[in-house]
Amino acid sequence: MPRYAEMSKAELEAELAEVRARYGEMAARGLKLNMARGKPSAAQLELSLPLLDVLDSAADLAAEDGTDCRNYGVLDGIPEAKRLMATLLDDEPENVIVLGNASLTAMYDAMVRYLVFGALGSTPWGRLPEVKWLCPVPGYDRHFSICEDLGIEMIPVPLCEDGPDMEEVERLVAADDTIKGIWCVPKYSNPSGITYSDETVRRLAAMECAAPDFRIFWDNAYAVHHFSDDPAEQDIVLDIAEACREAGNPDRYLKFGSTSKITFPGAGVAALAASPANIAEIKRHLGVQAIGHDKLNQLRHARFLEEGARLPEHMAAHGALMGPKFELVEKKLAEELAEAGIATWTSPRGGYFVSFEGPAGTARRIVSLAKEAGVVMTGAGATWPYGDDPADSNIRIAPSLPPLEELEEAMDVFTCCVKLAALEQLVEG
């Protein structure tokens, strides 16, 4: 089949009629398929069912330091949970605070603390006339929602194959002291699946910032979420903490992570890691906000995952379930769209998403067509601040939740919708 751009008007009209007929057949099936969010599948959740058996009424419910995990206390986490989360966060246990079940909550709270109290003695951001934040795009919609909810102006910057466009980032932060930070998903980024290069990490750590209290929110949500258990097929990201210390900016970063996509979303363990100065400041405020978090959950996670020693085995089982789904997505996109020359997409080695770029001006139409045919996708525009993708071209594909047979059906519908939207644009304008 020739590329759509090389077809005559008559050929395009004939192709449009054929694709419309195929779409009508699909829409008539009454499908109810969902690829809207990056949720683990039922099969993935079953991998962690033994976690529920770790603690029972006969279990030793004391942490290794003697803490009774049934009772109040221990603000920053029991020792074995701190070691587990330090493994995920690529840091030392003494630099870790173990929190509740969601890293998103930890990020929201961190932003609110800076708005109310400032950062290590700086003016509270909430007292400033304006506060801005850099948002690599395409990016994570829930990050953007935090900024929007708190009235922080978002500035999109392009996300390249090796991380944010650092020339643009460096230009912006050097010239504007109202830019207080940047969102970063450094490994298997949401939604592109790219991993930051060592050079990008070092430049983020060392760049000159007009704001002395500039912060990197390092959301390493997919730190161990590889598709392959072969180390040669796994991405590695440089530690931002080490890079910041080497650059003379030891307090610039906050790292966030959780077990949400390792064990059970909503019943996992979240944590943050930071410099000693930042940890001391956070604990001072946290001590007013909370007495301690769910130590029983911390204890069972630490025992189930053997303080991180079982992570490679456990995540290899996740990868064995996820890898075939991403292979199927790649196969369907290549078979149905490559020759037409109307789209590009990423091919990650881990994480939860594929970033898809269709023809400019078609993303909303594609998502709408898919919904009408029974396939719910992430909303068009969600990967940009304020839900506004100026090119109307990016769509986040989330293959994790449906079983393979349903995913195949969903991808057949999706690729048909891409063709239909592209042909409508070419034929009808």
Side-chain angles (χ1 to χ4, degrees):
M1 182 185 76
R3 295 168 64 89
Y4 282 3
E6 298 168 356
M7 286 184 173
S8 67
K9 181 73 177 294
E11 288 173 326
L12 287 170
E13 289 174 342
E15 178 75 3
L16 175 57
E18 181 180 329
V19 171
R20 270 189 175 146
R22 192 181 319 140
Y23 174 78
E25 294 171 1
M26 291 178 173
R29 294 177 191 170
L31 299 174
K32 292 183 179 180
L33 306 175
N34 194 313
M35 290 200 298
R37 305 299 311 185
K39 293 182 178 181
S41 66
Q44 287 178 269
L45 298 176
E46 287 168 6
L47 297 173
S48 296
L49 285 177
L51 171 67
L52 303 178
D53 301 324
V54 170
L55 300 182
D56 60 22
S57 61
D60 179 3
L61 301 179
E64 67 177 43
D65 63 356
T67 297
D68 185 342
C69 292
R70 300 170 298 177
N71 218 326
Y72 287 123
V74 189
L75 184 67
D76 58 349
I78 60 174
E80 46 267 69
K82 287 167 73 77
R83 289 195 295 271
L84 167 62
M85 300 311 291
T87 300
L88 280 179
L89 293 167
D90 196 18
D91 218 306
E92 298 300 322
E94 58 267 27
N95 298 329
V96 170
I97 297 176
V98 185
L99 299 162
N101 68 345
S103 57
L104 191 70
T105 303
M107 289 180 265
Y108 189 99
D109 284 352
M111 196 75 84
V112 170
R113 280 193 296 270
Y114 287 137
L115 287 167
V116 176
F117 302 111
L120 298 177
S122 72
T123 300
W125 297 354
R127 297 181 189 173
L128 301 174
E130 55 183 345
V131 176
K132 301 171 187 172
W133 203 267
L134 299 186
C135 299
V137 290
Y140 181 28
D141 55 337
R142 295 193 188 277
H143 285 166
F144 305 153
S145 294
I146 290 175
C147 286
E148 188 168 7
D149 191 54
L150 297 175
I152 295 171
E153 180 184 342
M154 292 178 276
I155 302 174
V157 294
L159 186 68
C160 308
E161 291 184 358
D162 57 355
D165 180 342
M166 286 308 300
E167 289 190 8
E168 179 69 359
V169 170
E170 288 165 342
R171 181 187 70 81
L172 288 166
V173 300
D176 189 346
D177 65 358
T178 68
I179 298 176
K180 295 296 186 180
I182 184 172
W183 291 114
C184 293
V185 183
K187 189 171 183 178
Y188 304 135
S189 190
N190 178 353
S192 67
I194 65 98
T195 295
Y196 291 15
S197 68
D198 290 358
E199 179 187 0
T200 294
V201 177
R202 291 192 175 101
R203 288 174 73 174
L204 283 165
M207 62 189 180
E208 294 294 326
C209 297
D213 52 354
F214 183 90
R215 290 293 182 266
I216 299 169
F217 275 32
W218 195 255
D219 182 7
N220 205 1
Y222 310 104
V224 292
H225 299 69
H226 319 286
F227 298 152
S228 172
D229 59 0
D230 180 356
E233 297 297 320
Q234 298 174 354
D235 289 2
I236 298 173
V237 67
L238 192 69
D239 179 28
I240 188 64
E242 181 180 354
C244 285
R245 286 193 296 269
E246 290 177 353
N249 297 308
D251 303 319
R252 177 170 286 183
Y253 69 92
L254 295 181
K255 300 184 199 175
F256 302 92
S258 79
T259 67
S260 289
K261 288 183 171 69
I262 296 173
T263 56
F264 299 130
V269 176
L272 65 82
S275 67
N278 278 324
I279 288 292
E281 180 178 65
I282 293 167
K283 286 174 68 174
R284 186 170 71 252
H285 297 304
L286 192 62
V288 179
Q289 182 183 14
I291 299 172
H293 293 90
D294 186 346
K295 295 183 293 301
L296 290 173
N297 200 28
Q298 294 177 25
L299 185 65
R300 67 177 181 175
H301 273 80
R303 290 179 181 175
F304 175 65
L305 294 170
E306 297 176 7
E307 300 178 22
R310 278 200 67 239
L311 275 172
E313 172 194 346
H314 187 69
M315 296 311 296
H318 276 277
L321 294 169
M322 290 284 279
K325 294 184 177 183
F326 279 76
E327 291 169 6
L328 176 61
V329 169
E330 175 72 29
K331 176 175 178 287
K332 287 293 183 179
L333 293 174
E335 287 178 352
E336 296 296 328
L337 302 179
E339 287 187 3
I342 54 174
T344 59
W345 55 88
T346 57
S347 302
R349 302 202 298 180
Y352 264 67
F353 306 102
V354 170
S355 182
F356 178 88
E357 289 285 338
T362 64
R364 294 187 186 280
R365 176 62 173 157
I366 293 167
V367 170
S368 176
L369 285 167
K371 185 176 182 180
E372 291 171 13
V375 177
V376 179
M377 308 290 298
T378 303
T383 56
W384 279 71
Y386 309 107
D388 181 19
D389 172 4
D392 187 26
S393 62
N394 185 259
I395 298 171
R396 185 179 75 174
I397 299 176
S400 58
L401 182 63
L404 271 172
E405 59 275 12
E406 291 185 7
L407 178 61
E408 184 168 15
E409 284 187 292
M411 288 306 300
D412 285 339
V413 171
F414 177 74
T415 53
C416 182
C417 293
V418 173
K419 287 181 175 180
L420 181 53
L423 287 163
E424 286 175 344
Q425 187 182 72
L426 289 167
V427 173
E428 302 167 357

